């Protein structure tokens, strides 16, 4: 493909999953000879397994204790991963570059104050004037940054404060679709010449009782022991196993990146997102349209990083789609390895794909149902299908 000044390239990757902190442990798992060990927590939130955070020294990217204290893990994780991406791109100490850098964040509703939630519920069992009770507790128990949950745009605000990223700022909400839209918007702005360098990504904390309750309400959780993602059965819950993850990317125009001598992991050739009804084959029709740019990739050297959620019906439909429309290309369901990251799922897939392409990886299977690669990856397709709505596909190429 002919190179141009406005090609969108990935120059920085910040990633945290249950597999480790930063690019090094993730490059190791992508270049290993065999499937990495799955790290899972089955006791703390039993009967729901989760992929937990690894051990993290927050001060490596958030040096002020005061900043750390006023964030919950969701925000700490996002600010930390953003700092890793800036470091990896060589921009962390470049105040001029950070001052003009755009930022796009995919965020959920923020962590809830479980103690206040519990207090309100317990008191409501003893009183009949529950409207008055609620008003009393909301005026006396909440911290200034909460409306019973942390404000979604606080993640972007804290990244600005801690890392001095002070260009334009956007926050997307909306589960998996938020992550897709965040990366798609960053790509489109750079491609159109409206931006030269952007920090984009998201974070998700799975180790939260409110999140466990939220997904149990739609019977989405897998239960009991961990099972490979392509073979989870309905008898063990809904099939989803959540993971605490953070992933941020530094995207630049080729011209901007080359002018400063940046290392380029990969080029994003195309990206698209959509949402709508999933009845009567409409999901498959939209996926087929989104996958058109991937049709010309070489099956032998192209890997598909599937962000499949594990939700039973969707797993079956995505597997059928991949086998039909992207036949011959080995698939790696990274959610089975690091868990499902909801808003951060698409950024995690993009980060892993870029690391694979930047390191000529011949990625081992993540799941017994996956086939081995016969050549190093030269192109990658990243998919994410939201557990409820929204789907996106990106195509990346090695330099």
């Amino acid at each position: 493909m002919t190179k141009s000044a406005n090609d969108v390239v990935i120059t920085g990757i910040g990633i945290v999953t249950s597999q480790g902190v930063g690019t090094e442990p993730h490059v190791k798992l992508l270049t290993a000879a065999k499937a990495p060990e799955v790290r899972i927590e089955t006791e703390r939130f039993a009967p729901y397994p989760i992929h937990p955070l690894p051990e993290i020294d927050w001060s490596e990217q958030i040096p002020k204790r005061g900043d750390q204290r006023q964030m919950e893990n969701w925000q700490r994780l996002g600010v930390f991963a953003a700092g890793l991406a800036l470091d990896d791109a060589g921009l962390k100490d470049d105040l001029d570059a950070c001052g003009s850098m755009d930022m796009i964040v995919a965020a959920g509703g923020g962590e809830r104050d479980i103690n206040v939630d519990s207090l309100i519920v317990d008191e409501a069992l003893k009183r009949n004037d529950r409207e008055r009770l609620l008003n009393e507790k909301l005026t006396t128990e909440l911290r200034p940054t909460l409306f019973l949950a942390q404000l979604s745009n606080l993640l972007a605000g804290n990244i600005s404060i801690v890392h001095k990223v002070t260009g334009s700022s956007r926050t997307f909400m909306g589960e998996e679709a938020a992550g897709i839209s965040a990366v798609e918007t960053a790509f489109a702005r750079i491609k159109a010449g409206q931006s030269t360098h952007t920090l984009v990504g998201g974070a998700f904390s799975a180790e939260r009782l409110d999140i466990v309750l939220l997904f149990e309400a739609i019977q989405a959780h897998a239960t009991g022991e961990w099972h490979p993602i392509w073979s989870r059965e309905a008898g063990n819950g809904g099939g989803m196993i959540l993971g605490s993850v953070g992933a941020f990317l530094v995207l630049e125009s080729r011209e901007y990146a080359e002018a400063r001598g940046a290392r380029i992991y990969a080029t994003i050739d195309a990206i698209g997102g959509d949402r709508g009804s999933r009845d009567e084959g409409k999901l498959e029709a939209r996926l087929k349209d989104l996958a058109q740019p991937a049709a010309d990739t070489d099956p032998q050297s192209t890997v598909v990083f599937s962000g499949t959620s594990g939700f039973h019906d969707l797993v079956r439909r995505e597997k059928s789609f991949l086998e039909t429309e992207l036949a011959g290309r080995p698939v790696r369901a990274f959610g089975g390895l690091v868990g499902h990251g909801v808003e951060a799922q698409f950024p995690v897939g993009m980060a892993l794909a870029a690391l694979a392409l930047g390191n000529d990886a011949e990625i081992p299977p993540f799941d017994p149902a996956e086939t081995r690669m016969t050549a190093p990856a030269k192109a990658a397709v990243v998919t994410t299908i939201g557990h409820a709505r929204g789907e996106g596909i990106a195509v990346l190429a090695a330099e």
Side-chain angles (χ1 to χ4, degrees):
M1 182 174 289
T2 304
K3 295 180 180 180
S4 70
N6 281 4
D7 284 345
V8 182
V9 298
I10 300 173
T11 60
I13 297 172
I15 183 169
V16 179
T17 73
S18 58
Q19 292 290 321
V21 176
T23 59
E24 184 177 349
H26 293 91
V27 170
K28 285 183 178 179
L29 72 87
L30 292 168
T31 56
K34 61 180 182 180
E37 180 182 349
V38 175
R39 298 174 182 175
I40 199 77
E41 166 64 54
T42 59
E43 299 298 326
R44 219 162 8 120
F45 299 95
Y48 311 110
I50 60 153
H51 296 264
L53 278 178
E55 186 175 336
I56 299 176
D57 180 358
W58 299 111
S59 63
E60 290 181 1
Q61 293 295 337
I62 313 172
K64 294 182 180 179
R65 295 288 182 181
D67 289 339
Q68 292 180 34
R69 282 195 300 270
Q70 64 89 22
M71 303 181 206
E72 302 293 346
N73 269 357
W74 160 65
Q75 287 190 67
R76 291 189 197 104
L77 187 52
V79 175
F80 191 93
L84 290 176
L86 293 171
D87 268 340
D88 191 49
L91 294 173
K92 182 75 171 295
D93 299 320
D94 188 334
L95 294 181
D96 289 337
C98 287
S100 59
M101 180 180 291
D102 298 313
M103 175 168 47
I104 306 180
V105 172
E111 294 203 38
R112 295 187 66 86
D113 191 323
I114 299 297
N115 292 331
V116 176
D117 281 340
S118 300
L119 177 64
I120 292 172
V121 172
D122 290 342
E123 291 293 321
L125 294 174
K126 306 171 188 175
R127 292 170 56 173
N128 291 323
D129 58 338
R130 290 169 183 161
E131 293 82 1
R132 175 175 295 194
L133 165 69
L134 184 59
N135 285 332
E136 288 174 3
K137 298 305 179 187
L138 293 180
T139 56
T140 60
E141 300 296 334
L142 294 187
R143 287 176 284 170
T145 56
L146 293 178
F147 61 102
L148 278 178
Q150 292 187 334
L151 298 172
S152 299
N153 59 5
L154 281 177
L155 176 51
N158 277 305
I159 292 172
S160 294
I161 292 168
V162 174
H163 301 307
K164 308 299 186 290
V165 177
T166 53
S168 68
S169 176
R170 294 163 177 79
T171 294
F172 285 89
M173 290 182 67
E175 299 167 341
E176 292 88 350
I180 296 165
S181 294
V183 183
E184 182 183 18
T185 301
F187 170 85
R189 283 177 53 78
I190 293 173
K191 198 73 173 174
Q194 297 170 342
S195 177
T196 56
H197 56 307
T198 300
L199 178 68
V200 58
F204 179 75
S205 175
E207 296 155 82
R208 297 164 47 184
L209 289 172
D210 57 315
I211 287 293
V212 172
L213 177 62
L214 181 67
F215 282 92
E216 173 57 19
I218 59 171
Q219 297 182 312
H221 274 292
T223 57
E225 298 299 316
W226 178 88
H227 296 279
I229 199 165
W230 293 118
S231 56
R232 291 175 190 167
E233 298 178 354
N236 297 107
M240 290 179 67
I241 299 179
L242 303 175
S244 292
V245 296
F248 272 81
L249 307 170
V250 174
L251 305 186
E252 304 182 43
S253 69
R254 181 179 296 280
E255 182 177 49
Y256 188 91
E258 290 183 348
R260 70 180 190 87
R263 171 196 53 197
I264 295 174
Y265 283 101
T267 303
I268 305 176
D269 285 344
I271 183 171
D274 203 353
R275 59 173 288 180
S277 170
R278 293 179 170 180
D279 297 337
E280 301 173 350
K282 292 177 181 176
L283 169 63
E284 287 77 6
R286 286 199 305 279
L287 290 174
K288 186 174 182 178
D289 287 342
L290 292 172
Q292 282 301 314
D296 294 333
T297 58
D298 173 25
Q300 295 299 313
S301 59
T302 301
V303 60
V304 178
F305 281 90
S306 166
T308 186
S309 64
F311 218 172
H312 293 307
D313 179 55
L314 289 175
V315 170
R316 176 185 57 78
R317 294 174 73 175
E318 180 172 355
K319 192 169 187 291
S320 175
F321 168 79
L322 294 176
E323 290 173 348
T324 302
E325 300 299 330
L326 295 175
R329 297 162 180 84
V331 176
R332 298 295 181 263
F334 59 90
L337 186 63
V338 302
H340 190 67
V342 193
E343 292 87 10
Q345 187 73 351
F346 196 67
V348 169
M350 295 290 290
L352 292 173
L355 285 174
L357 295 177
N359 289 277
D360 294 319
E362 197 169 313
I363 306 105
F366 295 162
D367 186 291
E370 296 172 352
T371 59
R372 297 201 70 86
M373 297 182 66
T374 58
K378 297 300 180 184
V381 180
V382 179
T383 74
T384 289
I385 298 177
H387 70 279
R389 55 191 171 269
E391 44 276 336
I393 293 178
V395 180
L396 289 73
E399 278 294 287

